Amino acid sequence: QIGVDAYTDHSDMIVWATNLKDGSPLPGVSIQPNKGGSAFTTGSDGTARVVIPNGATYLVASKGADKAMLLHSPYYWEDTGWGPSTIYDSLRWYVFDDRQMYRPGEEVHIKGWMRRLGGKQNGDVSLVGGEVTSVTYQLTDPQGNAIGSGQADVNALGGFDLAFPIPQPVNLGYAQLYLTAQGSLG
């Protein structure tokens, strides 16, 4: 009659045990990782926060004679378990063009901004500063053929602006624009 689930971030695991009949929290449930950690017990709210039991592939929840098992993965051939992970800051992009549809020979205008998103619990959204110096782009036609490429500088506010022509002999349809940040956050 035990329902058990686990959630992880980069360093901690929260295990949540509930009663399968009514969903109420189950305090005092003993949780035993199969390897990589010692047993721990849920509190009055049915949860327990612990350091991730590194390498554990399943957890066994016990209360009295009742037991439940939570697998890290439902796939038979996956033998990796829970483990801590490295946190990285990431870039978030906001990019738009001037009208979304172009004819061969017309000029495309693209503008955008980037922000740095902190990866840890205290992470915040901030300007990229000097960590992104430019944006390179590659334009491909619907068949995957390269039809343009170039580079645009990134200003102090993380903004960029680029313009390029669509070649006259080009396959019609949806084109793809690939943008890559250059610098230490790229």
Side-chain angles (χ1 to χ4, degrees), residues 48-79:
R49 178 184 285 266
V50 296
V51 174
I52 296 174
N54 197 13
T57 56
Y58 63 88
L59 303 173
V60 176
S62 312
K63 187 166 186 172
D66 199 5
K67 293 186 186 291
M69 181 186 284
L70 175 66
L71 301 175
H72 172 261
S73 172
Y75 301 107
Y76 181 75
W77 293 107
E78 186 177 326
D79 60 354

Side-chain angles (χ1 to χ4, degrees), residues 4-185:
V4 63
D5 208 346
Y7 304 93
T8 61
D9 62 11
H10 70 284
S11 62
D12 291 337
M13 173 183 277
I14 296 178
V15 178
W16 184 28
T18 57
N19 186 325
L20 285 179
K21 289 181 182 178
D22 59 11
S24 62
L26 281 178
V29 175
S30 175
I31 310 291
Q32 176 65 55
N34 69 318
K35 56 184 174 180
S38 55
F40 51 93
T41 305
T42 61
S44 61
D45 61 353
T47 66
R49 178 184 285 266
V50 296
V51 174
I52 296 174
N54 197 13
T57 56
Y58 63 88
L59 303 173
V60 176
S62 312
K63 187 166 186 172
D66 199 5
K67 293 186 186 291
M69 181 186 284
L70 175 66
L71 301 175
H72 172 261
S73 172
Y75 301 107
Y76 181 75
W77 293 107
E78 186 177 326
D79 60 354
T80 59
W82 286 285
S85 60
T86 305
I87 300 265
Y88 299 100
D89 289 353
S90 60
L91 286 177
R92 291 295 184 256
W93 299 62
Y94 179 73
V95 181
F96 61 95
D97 64 359
D98 58 338
R99 65 175 196 261
Q100 300 179 357
M101 187 180 294
Y102 303 91
R103 294 181 186 166
E106 291 183 336
E107 189 170 65
V108 177
H109 295 270
I110 305 286
K111 291 186 180 207
W113 292 271
M114 289 180 277
R115 295 295 183 260
R116 178 186 192 146
L117 186 63
K120 294 187 178 177
Q121 282 92 344
N122 296 334
D124 200 358
V125 178
S126 62
L127 295 174
V128 295
E131 295 181 272
V132 176
T133 56
S134 64
V135 172
T136 58
Y137 67 90
Q138 182 174 4
L139 182 66
T140 60
D141 72 8
Q143 306 303 316
N145 302 315
I147 57 174
S149 63
Q151 182 172 335
D153 291 334
V154 174
N155 66 25
L157 298 175
F160 58 92
D161 182 8
L162 51 102
F164 51 85
I166 301 291
Q168 279 290 350
V170 68
N171 292 316
L172 299 180
Y174 291 99
Q176 298 289 319
L177 180 65
Y178 299 97
L179 300 170
T180 305
Q182 302 298 317
S184 61
L185 281 179

